[in-house]
Amino acid sequence: MTMTANEMIERYVHEVGRQLPRKGRNDIERELRSLLQDAVDERAGDGQPTELTATKVLLDFGPPEQMAAQYHATQYVIGPQLYPFYRFVATIVLSVMAVLYLVLMILTLVTGNSADTASVIWNFLLEFAQAAVISLGVITLIFAGIERVWGGEIVIDGDSAEWDPHDLPPVDDPDRINRFEQVAGIIATIVFVGIFLVLIRPDGVLAPFIAPGFRSVIPLIIVSTAIEVMLKFIVVWQGRWTRMTRTLEIGSELFGLYVLVQILTVGAITTIDFLNWVIRLALFVALVVDAIGIVVKVVKLIFGRKFRPQWHNAVKPSS
Amino acid sequence: MAKQPDKEALYDNLSLELRRGALVLAVLSQLRQEEYGYSLKQNLDARGMSINEGTLYPLLRRLEKQGLLSSDWRVIDDARPRRYYQISPVGEMMLSNLTQEWHNLVQTMDRLLLAKGG
């Protein structure tokens, strides 16, 4: 089977163009075509260019994949700048879903409407697998979209012009926060409390198991959660713990302690008798641990080490 | 265990790496008057600086994107339309700075290499 020189050139140009981003593709194709024609004509001399002439020229130009790669920068579905954040979000969402499905499964098993334990577990596993794949797909799509639109511009925490080696924090810096962890905490808190509130609404799945008295403390739980989340936002924004946020943290935890006491003294929490005692015991243990934690934090705040300047590592709003 | 590249391939790789930095300088130096891709390639070949097509042509586009070259589709002497490249004012400035840098580098390297050899 023989081809004309032009046909080979066309195939090559098409193969390169196929691998280029749409923007600028036509122009590159056009230029590449003219360059190939120049080279083929030159090689053919006065004669007609043949398949062999074109073959030699194309061998000089190299494989279309390599040529295309030279024409455009490496492209990512999700680039290295964005990837850690992508993985982080995916992990959080999948973990939250796993816990949620586990809790729902246990509740279904405990309330015992279904006779067949194995099939209940199997169904939950299947549903979880389905939901996990779909969520992961959606998250990936969203991040791929972000990459496409802002891919080249995303720089996380980089401000090399203003970098001063003296700013390096000590290796064991107890005030440094991991932004990812803090954001994870915020998301997890909102998701868990949100789901809990939805489930115990009068028409929610868990509504029958919630004792009427318990509902009076729900506003307190919401306020306490809101305070905690706001505090975490401030910490994430400033990039590190400061004297102010540590003080606010103690205040927030004292309020949390107050809410715990209210829950413990309001009477029955759930309509399932044996669970009531388990929950109350767990809450009591939490109360004691929290109280000790607060005392330790107060002592540390008063007698502990110095804090670095408050706004030190704050994220500067980009202009 | 990592596979050892054979010496020839390793040499090719290292020498390519060494030449890569000089390519921009070579290309800019030849575009004081406008050229299209193929004529530039031949020019460079004739002067002993042969650059592979797959490297040279994409490089021209990158340099234009960086503002060092300007380009235009043009028909000259009834030939087919070709994209002609020429150095831009920014490119001129870069070329003169880079040329200085090149001379310094050559001097320094000569000193280093001679000291090693002698």
Side-chain angles (χ1 to χ4, degrees):
Chain A
M1 193 180 77
T2 57
M3 280 186 276
T4 64
N6 261 337
E7 208 176 324
M8 288 190 81
I9 290 177
E10 275 317 308
R11 288 189 181 193
Y12 184 85
V13 169
H14 179 74
E15 199 57 29
V16 173
R18 219 169 51 82
Q19 298 171 59
L20 294 175
R22 203 173 301 264
K23 198 178 150 218
R25 181 192 294 167
N26 283 342
D27 198 56
I28 291 178
E29 283 183 349
R30 192 176 165 211
E31 182 176 14
L32 194 55
R33 188 177 295 117
S34 86
L35 288 165
L36 284 163
Q37 284 165 346
D38 282 339
V40 167
D41 286 352
E42 174 72 21
R43 215 177 249 273
D46 292 334
Q48 257 322 303
T50 62
E51 185 182 349
L52 185 66
T53 332
T55 307
K56 284 179 177 162
V57 167
L58 290 180
L59 281 172
D60 281 346
F61 273 61
E65 297 77 29
Q66 264 179 38
M67 182 59 89
Q70 289 283 339
Y71 268 113
H72 68 97
T74 321
Q75 285 198 313
Y76 300 100
V77 176
I78 294 167
Q81 301 282 7
L82 208 52
Y83 180 73
F85 192 49
Y86 162 72
R87 217 179 64 173
F88 160 77
V89 171
T91 312
I92 298 291
V93 170
L94 289 187
S95 317
V96 168
M97 278 174 50
V99 171
L100 190 67
Y101 273 84
L102 199 66
V103 169
L104 285 175
M105 186 179 81
I106 291 170
L107 277 174
T108 312
L109 289 174
V110 168
T111 52
N113 293 332
S114 168
D116 188 357
T117 309
S119 82
V120 169
I121 294 177
W122 177 242
N123 280 336
F124 268 101
L125 277 178
L126 269 185
E127 274 180 43
F128 171 69
Q130 249 177 25
V133 169
I134 292 171
S135 317
L136 206 57
V138 170
I139 295 169
T140 308
L141 273 179
I142 292 173
F143 272 84
I146 295 174
E147 180 70 42
R148 242 192 126 74
V149 180
W150 294 292
E153 302 160 27
I154 298 167
V155 179
I156 293 169
D157 266 356
D159 204 351
S160 58
E162 292 179 24
W163 184 68
D164 177 349
H166 293 103
D167 289 348
L168 287 171
V171 175
D172 292 314
D173 180 2
D175 297 327
R176 155 163 278 172
I177 59 141
N178 180 332
R179 283 217 174 88
F180 282 159
E181 272 174 22
Q182 291 290 322
V183 175
I186 293 173
I187 296 173
T189 307
I190 293 174
V191 168
F192 277 119
V193 173
I195 289 171
F196 178 68
L197 290 177
V198 169
L199 292 181
I200 65 169
R201 275 190 330 197
D203 54 346
V205 182
L206 291 185
F209 310 115
I210 299 298
F214 176 72
R215 294 193 179 277
S216 63
V217 295
I218 291 176
L220 281 179
I221 296 177
I222 297 175
V223 172
S224 169
T225 309
I227 292 176
E228 196 188 320
V229 168
M230 278 192 300
L231 176 64
K232 281 200 167 126
F233 267 121
I234 298 176
V235 174
V236 168
W237 183 47
Q238 296 190 340
R240 64 192 308 111
W241 285 99
T242 62
R243 180 169 290 277
M244 180 194 80
T245 43
R246 287 283 192 209
T247 312
L248 285 176
E249 186 194 19
I250 291 170
S252 151
E253 290 195 357
L254 277 174
F255 186 74
L257 213 60
Y258 165 75
V259 175
L260 265 183
V261 171
Q262 290 300 310
I263 295 174
L264 278 171
T265 52
V266 79
I269 294 165
T270 153
T271 50
I272 306 170
D273 259 352
F274 77 95
L275 263 185
N276 237 332
W277 285 107
V278 176
I279 294 174
R280 292 177 72 115
L281 186 64
L283 287 178
F284 184 73
V285 171
L287 184 91
V288 173
V289 172
D290 274 2
I292 295 172
I294 292 175
V295 171
V296 171
K297 278 175 182 163
V298 170
V299 170
K300 269 190 178 170
L301 188 68
I302 298 173
F303 302 105
R305 69 224 133 58
K306 288 195 176 81
F307 284 91
R308 289 147 59 76
Q310 181 173 325
W311 294 97
H312 190 74
N313 253 7
V315 180
K316 291 160 195 115
S318 56
S319 48
Chain B
M1 222 175 84
K3 211 175 106 187
Q4 288 284 323
D6 66 288
K7 288 200 183 76
E8 210 170 308
L10 182 61
Y11 172 78
D12 285 349
N13 200 336
L14 290 174
S15 100
L16 197 73
E17 198 76 353
L18 188 61
R19 283 158 49 93
R20 186 165 296 155
L23 293 187
V24 173
L25 199 52
V27 167
L28 289 180
S29 73
Q30 297 307 301
L31 286 174
R32 289 222 168 80
Q33 75 281 352
E34 61 175 14
E35 302 261 12
Y36 58 96
Y38 188 71
S39 67
L40 173 65
K41 160 113 181 86
Q42 286 194 310
N43 248 334
L44 287 164
D45 278 349
R47 290 176 162 80
M49 187 71 182
S50 99
I51 305 174
N52 175 282
E53 286 87 346
T55 305
L56 177 63
Y57 299 144
L59 175 64
L60 289 174
R61 289 209 159 240
R62 272 204 297 283
L63 293 178
E64 191 198 6
K65 215 170 178 180
Q66 291 167 347
L68 304 184
L69 301 178
S70 56
S71 82
D72 232 338
W73 280 98
R74 215 169 291 173
V75 181
I76 292 178
D77 295 339
D78 284 337
R80 68 173 65 89
R82 287 169 176 140
R83 194 182 193 111
Y84 282 81
Y85 292 90
Q86 191 169 17
I87 196 163
S88 71
V90 180
E92 293 268 15
M93 199 190 74
M94 289 294 172
L95 176 59
S96 113
N97 290 346
L98 286 173
T99 305
Q100 187 57 48
E101 188 63 43
W102 172 261
H103 289 313
N104 293 343
L105 187 62
V106 169
Q107 268 180 22
T108 308
M109 286 312 298
D110 276 350
R111 272 203 303 277
L112 288 175
L113 295 170
L114 287 176
K116 184 93 180 174

